[in-house]
Amino acid sequence: MSKEYYRKKIIDLRASMQREKDAKKKDNEYYARMIKGASTPSNKASYRKSKIDRAASHDRNIESYKRQIESAKESLKREK
């Protein structure tokens, strides 16, 4: 692969990682509103669990993007 391919891939991965961070923030705000407005304790507990699960999912995706970026950087170094 070419150097330009890896440079573009790194830029695309960074943009994807930023979108994932924004989605995490948006989801956290959504679940915080839902928890605050929940009428029963069981609903609150359910929303809290969902919030934790979604945040963990976003964290896994962000870590995956970080690993892919590092891999692309290493590949770029090998191309030089």
Side-chain angles (χ1 to χ4, degrees):
M1 304 270 175
S2 69
K3 292 178 191 179
E4 286 303 314
Y5 168 80
Y6 289 115
R7 288 186 183 123
K8 183 179 180 327
K9 185 174 181 180
I10 290 169
I11 291 168
D12 291 343
L13 288 169
R14 285 181 179 155
S16 296
M17 187 169 66
Q18 187 59 48
R19 281 193 299 274
E20 190 70 29
K21 287 179 180 180
D22 293 342
K24 179 182 177 183
K25 183 177 179 181
K26 186 177 177 182
D27 280 351
N28 279 342
E29 291 169 355
Y30 167 78
Y31 283 114
R33 281 193 314 272
M34 296 305 286
I35 290 167
K36 188 174 182 180
S39 57
T40 65
S42 63
N43 282 349
K44 279 190 179 192
S46 175
Y47 285 129
R48 282 190 183 108
K49 183 181 181 323
S50 296
K51 182 179 177 182
I52 291 168
D53 291 344
R54 287 294 293 169
S57 173
H58 287 299
D59 288 340
R60 283 191 302 273
N61 290 340
I62 290 168
E63 288 302 316
S64 173
Y65 286 128
K66 286 180 183 178
R67 284 191 303 274
Q68 290 176 43
I69 289 169
E70 289 304 314
S71 175
K73 284 180 180 179
E74 291 299 318
S75 297
L76 182 60
K77 285 181 186 176
R78 282 194 301 271
E79 285 292 318
K80 291 184 177 182

